[in-house]
Amino acid sequence: MPIRSRHLCTLAAALALTVTAPAGVASAAGQAPSADLREVLFVGNNWDGTADVIESGGDFGRIGRIDVVPDKAQRMAEINANPIRWIYFMAIRNSVGEGHDQFVDDMYSTPDGTAVVVSRPSFADVVSLDLATGKVNWRFAVSGYRADHMAVSPDGTRVAVSASTSNTVHVLDITTGEQVGSFKTGDKPHENVFSSDGRYIWNMSIGEVNTDLDAPWLDWTKGDRKITVADARTFQQVKVIDMRDRLNAAGFKDHSDAVRPAAFSPDESKLYFQVSFFNGFFEYDVAADRITRVKTLPKNPATSEDRTTWVNDSRHHGITMKPDGAKLCVAGTMDDYATVVDRDTFEHGPLVPVSKPYWATVSGDGESCVVSESGADRVTAIDFATGEKTVSVPVGDHPQRVRLGHVREGWTAPSGG
């Protein structure tokens, strides 16, 4: 049943004070880790079907590798036996997959560090993998035909996943894989973020990113794109934010309203977000409900201006914030660089050359920005203080999401991975 108007207004007003903290800063283990847990970074190698586990700071050395598709033969047999699923599987390969299957989009470890939960786009599911044995603990098939970005609740007990072809977010118990709730979104739900108190889930839908109708005047063909804020207990819609209206009011009528990766300020009053086709990001004041600033970042002269050549409508894809809120780090995906931006002045630092950076997150000590170089199969750390690269570490084929998490002390990868 719909929330009564007065309740909706109360909840919407509360959002001004209880918005989300940056997803990349919150510990994937939720509560304070015990002494027998080791903090790590999980790097999802989308085309490989693996996840590298690396140190969360220092030299970011590789600790081990996990096979995230141990059940690949079974899943492929099911797909090949179902013509509709096979069509979608091939469509994913030939569109968003750039000719490759998408085996890992997102991942979070469980609070006890014994399992990692992975969304697998091509298999349209979420699985929990035992970190000791590599076996599947549970599997949840999402509605529709593709799984996408996830988010974990602050206490580490629930995980939200976007089902991108059914305009749905499923919320699952991270231990059992049972669905505890779901809610509807705009077209092609993408990024999810829990509020810092666990009361709300923010979902950003990006619409259709696989057509060549990319000219600004054809933006209307991309679908119904919006931010949906849902109550994480009742799964009722609390608020809808249509950035089209906010962008128009701020004088940015030619910019897409497809909100891509986003980061919230530590005081939970500002949202910094990227949109399709744009080399930069916007600042949104949550309480005032308006865009307050924009940062346009340099273009790489070697990058084609033909929008149809940009991967999934992204020019820049990946933004995170230093835990103290002083700096932002931006992945300039199609422009082949990453850079640190001062949050007060919006001045950017050196343009660090990286190859097709697909994501940005924060190191365990909060001192570095870690970007995935999907074009070079490595992750690179950039010092927030200097804006300079400190180290690069080789990983698997086409790394995308990088998430902070935990494994058990003394952990080694199953089968010597």
Side-chain angles (χ1 to χ4, degrees):
M1 296 289 293
I3 299 176
R4 293 180 184 273
S5 297
R6 61 185 178 86
H7 291 164
L8 180 60
C9 292
T10 300
L11 286 170
L15 289 176
L17 300 177
T18 55
V19 297
T20 44
V25 174
S27 168
Q31 299 159 345
S34 61
D36 61 350
L37 293 181
R38 179 181 185 181
E39 186 180 68
V40 297
L41 284 167
F42 289 90
V43 182
N45 305 310
N46 198 11
W47 296 350
D48 248 4
T50 63
D52 281 304
V53 182
I54 66 175
E55 298 281 2
S56 65
D59 65 0
F60 296 91
R62 188 165 77 93
I63 301 167
R65 178 170 289 176
I66 306 162
D67 178 7
V68 302
V69 287
D71 54 342
K72 182 178 180 180
Q74 181 181 356
R75 302 280 82 83
M76 290 305 304
E78 293 169 353
I79 289 167
N80 290 331
N82 184 319
I84 301 300
R85 288 194 62 190
W86 183 86
I87 289 171
Y88 273 94
F89 179 86
M90 295 303 295
I92 292 169
R93 174 186 291 178
N94 294 314
S95 57
V96 292
E98 302 175 70
H100 302 264
D101 298 324
Q102 292 195 311
F103 290 131
V104 49
D105 187 276
D106 216 340
M107 73 235 94
Y108 287 98
S109 59
T110 55
D112 61 5
T114 63
V116 62
V117 176
V118 181
S119 62
R120 307 188 298 185
S122 289
F123 290 162
D125 66 11
V126 181
V127 291
S128 170
L129 302 173
D130 188 298
L131 283 167
T133 67
K135 294 181 179 179
V136 176
N137 293 319
W138 54 257
R139 174 176 181 263
F140 178 86
V142 303
S143 55
Y145 299 95
R146 187 177 182 275
D148 202 38
H149 288 223
M150 299 197 299
V152 71
S153 59
D155 64 2
T157 63
R158 294 181 173 186
V159 63
V161 58
S162 289
S164 55
T165 67
S166 68
N167 298 354
T168 301
V169 171
H170 301 282
V171 184
L172 313 177
D173 183 295
I174 204 168
T175 302
T176 67
E178 295 293 323
Q179 178 171 279
V180 297
S182 66
F183 61 92
K184 287 296 185 179
T185 68
D187 291 339
K188 298 293 178 69
H190 192 54
E191 181 81 327
N192 292 293
V193 189
F194 275 87
S195 63
S196 58
D197 60 4
R199 290 186 60 190
Y200 304 106
I201 305 170
W202 290 60
N203 175 267
M204 292 71 166
S205 61
I206 60 173
E208 183 54 66
V209 298
N210 300 315
T211 71
D212 286 342
L213 303 177
D214 295 341
W217 70 275
L218 292 172
D219 188 66
W220 61 274
T221 67
K222 297 292 184 174
D224 178 22
R225 295 155 297 178
K226 57 192 177 186
I227 296 175
T228 301
V229 185
D231 188 301
R233 297 163 299 182
T234 66
F235 308 103
Q236 296 289 333
Q237 184 183 98
V238 173
K239 187 175 183 179
V240 173
I241 303 169
D242 184 349
M243 280 298 175
R244 178 74 279 139
D245 296 338
R246 281 72 174 175
L247 287 164
N248 289 352
F252 300 106
K253 294 182 179 181
D254 286 339
H255 286 66
S256 170
D257 61 349
V259 177
R260 312 301 291 255
F264 287 83
S265 59
D267 66 0
E268 303 187 325
S269 65
K270 300 290 195 303
L271 171 68
Y272 298 86
F273 65 92
Q274 297 164 310
V275 298
S276 292
F277 306 117
F278 180 48
N279 49 300
F281 60 88
F282 293 93
E283 177 187 75
Y284 170 73
D285 186 303
V286 178
D289 190 22
R290 65 186 181 89
I291 291 170
T292 46
R293 289 192 293 172
V294 61
K295 172 62 177 179
T296 301
L297 286 162
K299 295 181 178 180
N300 184 339
T303 299
S304 170
E305 288 299 321
D306 179 359
R307 291 184 174 206
T308 66
T309 66
W310 300 350
V311 177
N312 302 326
D313 290 358
S314 295
R315 180 143 194 169
H316 288 187
H317 188 280
I319 186 169
T320 194
M321 185 177 293
K322 193 171 185 285
D324 65 6
K327 304 286 183 64
L328 289 151
C329 179
V330 180
T333 309
M334 298 309 300
D335 289 304
D336 287 334
Y337 67 74
T339 190
V340 172
V341 179
D342 184 281
R343 186 168 153 240
D344 286 336
T345 66
F346 266 19
E347 292 296 319
H348 66 268
L351 303 182
V352 179
V354 287
S355 180
K356 194 185 170 190
Y358 221 104
W359 196 248
T361 194
V362 178
S363 61
D365 61 10
E367 298 302 317
S368 298
C369 169
V370 182
V371 297
S372 57
E373 293 194 57
S374 63
D377 298 341
R378 64 191 178 202
V379 294
T380 290
I382 299 170
D383 189 292
F384 271 117
T386 66
E388 300 286 355
K389 169 183 169 179
T390 57
V391 65
S392 290
V393 179
V395 292
D397 192 7
H398 208 266
Q400 291 187 200
R401 218 71 59 236
V402 183
R403 299 291 192 188
L404 199 66
H406 292 89
V407 296
R408 305 289 289 185
E409 274 291 354
W411 176 81
T412 57
S415 304

